[in-house]
Amino acid sequence: MPSIVGPVQIVNVGGGTIQFGDTLFISPKSNTKSVTGAGAANTGGFVITNNGLSASNVLDTNLIDQPTIGNN
């Protein structure tokens, strides 16, 4: 459904999507992959992590996880 959008001020966009009105589809323009060990992604004010042994072994059989070529 068409919409009327008034004055808009966008100060900063960091990796987000801004949409006004109708759209058929929104496709990503970037992708990332990260592998972390035990306790590496903990966030908070007071974190205690005790790990006896930690190993991150990754076997990625996909050559392309999410292609972004052609999403212009």
Side-chain angles (χ1 to χ4, degrees):
M1 175 177 281
S3 63
I4 298 173
V5 178
V8 175
Q9 178 183 8
I10 300 173
V11 178
N12 186 11
V13 176
T17 302
I18 298 174
Q19 172 190 348
F20 297 105
D22 298 337
T23 184
L24 179 62
F25 61 88
I26 298 175
S27 60
K29 302 300 181 203
S30 65
N31 55 32
T32 59
K33 179 187 286 190
S34 62
V35 177
T36 58
N42 291 333
T43 58
F46 184 72
V47 177
I48 297 175
T49 305
N50 298 318
N51 297 318
L53 181 62
S54 176
S56 296
N57 297 324
V58 177
L59 176 62
D60 189 8
T61 59
N62 299 335
L63 296 177
I64 300 174
D65 291 327
Q66 183 173 355
T68 55
I69 298 172
N71 290 339
N72 294 329

